[in-house]
Amino acid sequence: MTDISARLSGPVRVVGAGLLGASVGLGLRARGVDVLLADASPAHLRLAADYGAGRLDDGGAEPSLIVVAVPPDLTGTVVADELAAHPDAVVTDVASVKVAPLSELQAAGVDLARYVGGHPLAGRERGGPSSARADLFIGRPWVVAARPENPRAAVSLVEALILDLGATPVEMDAAEHDAAVALVSHAPQLVSSLMAKRLADSPDAALALAGQGVRDVTRIAASEPELWVQILGANAPAIVEILRAYRDDLDRVLVALGDVDAAGARRTIAEEIAGGNIGVSRLPGKHGQDRKYSRFVVMVEDRPGELARLLHELGDLGVNMEDLRLEHSPGAAFGLADIAVLPEVLHRTVEDLTERGWRITG
Amino acid sequence: MTDISARLSGPVRVVGAGLLGASVGLGLRARGVDVLLADASPAHLRLAADYGAGRLDDGGAEPSLIVVAVPPDLTGTVVADELAAHPDAVVTDVASVKVAPLSELQAAGVDLARYVGGHPLAGRERGGPSSARADLFIGRPWVVAARPENPRAAVSLVEALILDLGATPVEMDAAEHDAAVALVSHAPQLVSSLMAKRLADSPDAALALAGQGVRDVTRIAASEPELWVQILGANAPAIVEILRAYRDDLDRVLVALGDVDAAGARRTIAEEIAGGNIGVSRLPGKHGQDRKYSRFVVMVEDRPGELARLLHELGDLGVNMEDLRLEHSPGAAFGLADIAVLPEVLHRTVEDLTERGWRITG
């Protein structure tokens, strides 16, 4: 791991002490970096300082690096202000869209040599400083939207920050980034929300039949509307491009389902589902491989320690579990553990577990 | 648990020795019931018999109960044949659509007093007899589409079968059933497949940013096209009704995203996402409750036994884990365990785990 301290002549200033900003502060403090905090809300600011994310910026020290962690629609303005106020600092941000703030800055005629946009793909996008974690970014990709006008030293300072926080820098320009997150985050969010909305006024009896499939499809539909309106609004053109193509496919399916016995109708449906097969198979798996695993389902009594016992026995059997999903049967006194292993050990694992008294249900 | 044996004067005949049929056979054999197997494919039939799902039907014994477990488009015909060939038997089926086979039988003028349709909501809908499990149905809802013309004894025999196999009978008429599965299974399948199809020709760099959200939304897009064309085709009207409403919402979002600064545009987007919030919150949770849990994420080194150690320590701390999801960071030497607990124990659990050296990343 790199050590950002060696590259810094002054402190790191974090503007915006929400989940992301406070987590950056905590992560840097854990590595001994001096962190100055700023936030428009004095309450947020003091809370983040209380949690150890840094100290209040009294203006006594000139920062070397500034991390702007404010909502996407404020990012452009705040970046411009920070560049002007700290003429020697490198400025980065963590906004989940990159084109809109950049265009705003370019339109305002700001010199952007010292601005290197960034976006950590960290799980949660909500919560205040009290949800912050020093380890929030560990193992996550963190996009660095470097531009030709950025001096290499500015880019590598931002990359050192990212590496220090345990994340993986991924270089990508602003337009590529926005198209990518539209595809892997924003469009799936809308697709999930719109499907979940169909459940809103459905009969309880129908919902009682819900299995893991609809639960997975709609899980992210629990996201906060206010935040997502901002994210989606800031990346609208890229999202519209994907959703228009999606709607064209949906229309084809609707026509086919409207008359399933028409020539070509079943083929259309099969092609759409086969297209989905190809798409989902392209998502990188564990360790970035595309390796396919075999799955089986074990019944686990719903009492503390049972799942741990199952996993211990898998360990005893020398089986490395590649993935685990827990399903609950509403009303039942047990859960179902859906476990993925390498195909070559599936048969033996299922036999050994059965011998040890576990019930394999799928 | 009930005992179906006491109600049977003859064996149970299972027609169709695929995953579902062979699993019914295995489950009944485990309870000592005499099971006769039939399948159009002699290879399937012998394989299912080899796995212990029953014996080949030599016509020597008249069945009391017949379970038709053939593909949906054959179900009507096979049910009619079985009713005719075995004039004293109760006939049920396991097809995932209920209106189409029933309409076909009604149109053919078949007396349907002895036919009680059924549908087990068992996780997997694919695989041959070699994937069959005696415990496949444990804890799953199993719809019983009883009709007024069914004698109560016929319905209760089918319910005894369901209870014996460990599933929960849910009475629902054919139209209600088809509308319900269109909502919680068929529409989500298409929504997922169409989203996954968007990933099919996208750049690798974009896919490298994929997080758990898009993975969940597209997981079921790995389903078999052939089977799904049949299921979707057989339930087209109910699916079309849901997807048309879905498309209307999608069109509203597309208009709003096309001009996000127009009056009302952001409100439209917020309303769609808020509608999704309501819908997803209605899905029954663990134990059928709607109780909300608090989640946290723990870093788990990617070596055998680490996850078991974490779960053991949670047990030591007296914490009951309500849900567990495992995420992998591509390329990283660890996974992230996303754990749900009751809100009142969240703070203490996170503190205790941190004290024991676990890294909490979210």
Side-chain angles (χ1 to χ4, degrees), chain B residues 76-77 79-81 83-84 100-115 147 149:
Chain B
T77 313
V79 165
D81 291 348
L83 285 168
L102 180 64
S103 305
E104 198 185 318
L105 288 160
Q106 286 169 330
V110 177
D111 175 356
L112 296 174
R114 289 182 290 117
Y115 167 61
R147 284 159 300 109
E149 68 193 281

Side-chain angles (χ1 to χ4, degrees), chain A residues 121 124 133 135-136 138-141 143 172 180 183-184 187-188 190-210 212-223 225 228-229 232-233 236 239-240 242-247 249-254 257-258 260 266 269-270 272-280 282-288 299 302 304 307-308 311-312 320-332 334 336 350 359-362, chain B residues 121 124 133 135-136 138-141 143 172 180 183-184 187-188 190-210 212-223 225 228-229 232-233 236 239-240 242-247 249-254 257-258 260 266 269-270 272-280 282-288 299 302 304 307-308 311-312 320-332 334 336 350 359-362:
Chain A
L121 280 289
R124 303 192 290 176
R133 308 272 174 223
D135 291 334
L136 187 70
I138 287 188
R140 305 291 186 178
V143 171
M172 204 176 258
L183 183 70
V184 300
L190 281 167
V191 159
S192 176
S193 292
L194 296 180
M195 182 64 234
K197 193 180 167 208
R198 293 294 105 223
L199 307 175
D201 49 11
S202 58
D204 288 341
L207 296 172
L209 302 186
Q212 202 54 38
V214 65
R215 284 172 206 279
D216 284 343
V217 171
T218 60
R219 187 180 61 87
I220 55 171
S223 300
W228 275 94
V229 168
L232 300 171
I239 301 167
V240 164
I242 293 158
L243 290 184
R244 282 216 177 110
Y246 178 94
R247 190 191 50 184
D249 285 344
L250 178 58
D251 281 337
R252 282 226 300 280
V253 169
L254 277 167
L257 286 174
V260 282
R266 284 168 197 270
I269 301 168
E272 295 296 332
I273 293 176
N277 288 174
I278 295 168
V280 72
R282 292 197 59 218
L283 284 171
K286 189 186 177 190
H287 310 311
M299 227 180 99
D302 186 13
L307 186 62
L311 301 190
H312 256 300
N320 200 9
M321 189 175 66
E322 305 294 334
D323 191 23
L324 168 69
R325 307 174 62 85
L326 211 58
E327 295 178 23
H328 291 288
S329 300
F334 55 86
L336 299 169
V350 166
R359 302 182 75 169
I360 313 297
T361 76
Chain B
L121 280 290
R124 302 192 291 176
R133 307 270 175 225
D135 291 335
L136 186 70
I138 287 190
R140 305 290 187 179
V143 171
M172 205 176 258
L183 182 70
V184 300
L190 280 168
V191 160
S192 177
S193 292
L194 296 180
M195 182 64 233
K197 193 181 167 207
R198 294 292 105 223
L199 306 175
D201 49 11
S202 58
D204 288 341
L207 296 171
L209 301 186
Q212 202 55 39
V214 66
R215 286 173 203 279
D216 284 344
V217 171
T218 60
R219 186 179 62 85
I220 55 172
S223 301
W228 276 93
V229 167
L232 300 171
I239 301 167
V240 165
I242 293 159
L243 290 184
R244 281 216 178 112
Y246 178 94
R247 188 190 51 184
D249 284 344
L250 178 58
D251 281 338
R252 282 226 298 282
V253 169
L254 277 167
L257 286 174
V260 281
R266 285 167 197 270
I269 301 168
E272 296 296 332
I273 294 175
N277 288 175
I278 295 168
V280 73
R282 292 197 61 218
L283 285 171
K286 189 186 177 190
H287 310 311
M299 227 180 99
D302 186 15
L307 187 60
L311 300 190
H312 255 299
N320 200 9
M321 189 175 64
E322 306 294 335
D323 190 26
L324 167 69
R325 308 174 62 86
L326 213 57
E327 296 177 23
H328 291 290
S329 299
F334 56 87
L336 298 169
V350 166
R359 302 182 77 169
I360 312 297
T361 76

Side-chain angles (χ1 to χ4, degrees), chain A residues 32-309:
Chain A
V33 175
D34 185 16
V35 176
L36 306 175
L37 297 173
D39 194 294
S41 151
H44 257 202
L45 185 57
R46 281 175 200 288
L47 189 57
D50 281 354
Y51 274 97
R55 61 191 174 95
L56 274 53
D57 192 349
D58 59 5
E62 194 51 33
S64 303
L65 174 64
I66 297 168
V67 180
V68 173
V70 299
D73 60 344
L74 293 174
T75 298
T77 312
V78 175
V79 165
D81 291 348
E82 296 294 319
L83 285 169
H86 305 281
D88 296 319
V90 170
V91 178
T92 188
D93 72 307
V94 298
S96 57
V97 292
K98 299 268 65 76
V99 172
L102 180 64
S103 306
E104 199 184 316
L105 289 161
Q106 286 169 331
V110 177
D111 175 357
L112 296 174
R114 289 182 290 118
Y115 167 61
V116 182
H119 176 212
L121 280 289
R124 303 192 290 176
E125 306 217 35
R126 64 196 168 115
S130 59
S131 308
R133 308 272 174 223
D135 291 334
L136 187 70
F137 307 106
I138 287 188
R140 305 291 186 178
W142 187 319
V143 171
V144 182
R147 284 158 300 110
E149 68 192 281
N150 292 132
R152 196 62 223 171
V155 177
S156 71
L157 183 60
V158 172
E159 291 184 344
L161 167 79
I162 294 168
L163 290 167
D164 256 28
L165 294 172
T168 307
V170 179
E171 282 202 35
M172 204 176 258
D173 74 30
E176 273 179 288
H177 167 274
D178 283 10
V181 292
L183 183 70
V184 300
S185 170
H186 306 167
Q189 175 64 52
L190 281 167
V191 159
S192 176
S193 292
L194 296 180
M195 182 64 234
K197 193 180 167 208
R198 293 294 105 223
L199 307 175
D201 49 11
S202 58
D204 288 341
L207 296 172
L209 302 186
Q212 202 54 38
V214 65
R215 284 172 206 279
D216 284 343
V217 171
T218 60
R219 187 180 61 87
I220 55 171
S223 300
E224 276 183 19
E226 290 74 16
L227 178 70
W228 275 94
V229 168
Q230 234 190 84
I231 294 173
L232 300 171
N235 199 21
I239 301 167
V240 164
E241 194 179 323
I242 293 158
L243 290 184
R244 282 216 177 110
Y246 178 94
R247 190 191 50 184
D248 289 346
D249 285 344
L250 178 58
D251 281 337
R252 282 226 300 280
V253 169
L254 277 167
V255 169
L257 286 174
D259 183 4
V260 282
D261 294 321
R266 284 168 197 270
R267 179 173 168 171
T268 298
I269 301 168
E271 283 173 353
E272 295 296 332
I273 293 176
N277 288 174
I278 295 168
V280 72
S281 73
R282 292 197 59 218
L283 284 171
K286 189 186 177 190
H287 310 311
Q289 301 165 349
D290 278 330
R291 180 98 194 225
K292 289 286 166 230
Y293 301 115
S294 297
R295 313 192 72 100
F296 61 96
V297 180
V298 188
M299 227 180 99
V300 181
E301 295 293 327
D302 186 13
R303 53 175 188 249
E306 275 299 280
L307 186 62
R309 189 167 70 84

